[in-house]
Amino acid sequence: MKIIRATKEHCKEISRLMKKDLDNPPKEFSQEFLIKFKKHAEENNILKEFENPLTIGFIAIINGKIVGFIVGYAANSEHAVIHYINGGSKEVKESLLQAFVRACKTQNMRYILADSFEFMENDAILKEKGFNLDNKEKVNETLIMLWRRLELE
């Protein structure tokens, strides 16, 4: 597996992977939430994210095919926020997360925030990798977003 920086040229594949996640969405997601997510997953909206110089993104490639990605941004000089982790396996997601953490350390950031939902695999991965619960945010009547924080050394 090869992990490289994501660029505008990868937006079509990132969009495809995000939309694939919607093929079988968690039952906890409301229709309203899914509609917003589908709009966000459009290639032109992903492209807008990569026009932001503060965006931090990586893709995972196996046998010449993009199989996962991680995208976030530098919120300020002290911390970054992870918006999305996608991968066909736990190993892919962990490798992408490791690349994101390394990039933040290189920029001398103090911590990383990531949002997740406790019923998703990403939340378990974040916990395993040392992200601690920082805050809870009510998305709607049935959905609570967890904000996890990793202190960087």
Side-chain angles (χ1 to χ4, degrees):
M1 175 174 26
K2 186 172 162 184
I3 305 292
I4 63 170
R5 281 270 186 183
T7 67
K8 290 182 199 179
E9 288 73 33
H10 304 117
C11 289
K12 184 174 187 164
E13 281 300 301
I14 289 171
S15 174
R16 181 188 65 78
L17 290 170
M18 286 179 77
K19 289 177 180 177
K20 187 177 176 185
D21 281 347
L22 293 170
D23 287 347
N24 198 7
K27 65 183 182 327
E28 293 87 351
F29 287 174
S30 68
Q31 278 304 114
E32 179 184 351
F33 187 82
L34 290 172
I35 289 167
K36 286 180 184 177
F37 187 78
K38 285 177 184 178
K39 185 175 181 174
H40 178 69
E42 292 297 326
E43 184 179 349
N44 62 324
N45 290 325
I46 305 299
L47 185 59
K48 287 176 190 172
E49 284 192 45
F50 280 93
E51 289 172 352
N52 179 348
L54 300 176
T55 296
I56 302 168
F58 293 91
I59 58 171
I61 301 171
I62 297 176
N63 297 326
K65 183 178 177 186
I66 297 174
V67 296
F69 68 91
I70 188 169
V71 175
Y73 64 92
N76 57 41
S77 63
E78 291 193 346
H79 82 279
V81 178
I82 296 172
H83 269 308
Y84 207 97
I85 306 171
N86 167 288
S89 70
K90 183 178 177 185
E91 177 191 4
V92 169
K93 291 178 180 183
E94 288 175 340
S95 296
L96 289 162
L97 183 59
Q98 184 178 28
F100 193 96
V101 169
R102 270 196 313 267
C104 291
K105 285 181 176 180
T106 300
Q107 295 179 37
N108 297 314
M109 293 186 182
R110 290 186 32 235
Y111 63 95
I112 300 170
L113 292 174
D115 61 351
S116 66
F117 299 100
E118 65 184 340
F119 54 84
M120 298 184 80
E121 179 184 51
N122 288 353
D123 190 57
I125 292 170
L126 292 170
K127 285 193 289 190
E128 284 176 19
K129 298 302 176 186
F131 283 75
N132 295 310
L133 184 62
D134 189 60
N135 196 9
K136 293 183 179 185
E137 179 182 335
K138 187 174 183 177
V139 175
N140 59 39
E141 290 304 314
T142 60
L143 195 59
I144 306 288
M145 183 180 298
L146 306 177
W147 284 93
R148 297 203 171 272
R149 178 177 171 139
L150 177 70
E151 298 294 333
L152 301 175
E153 299 170 8

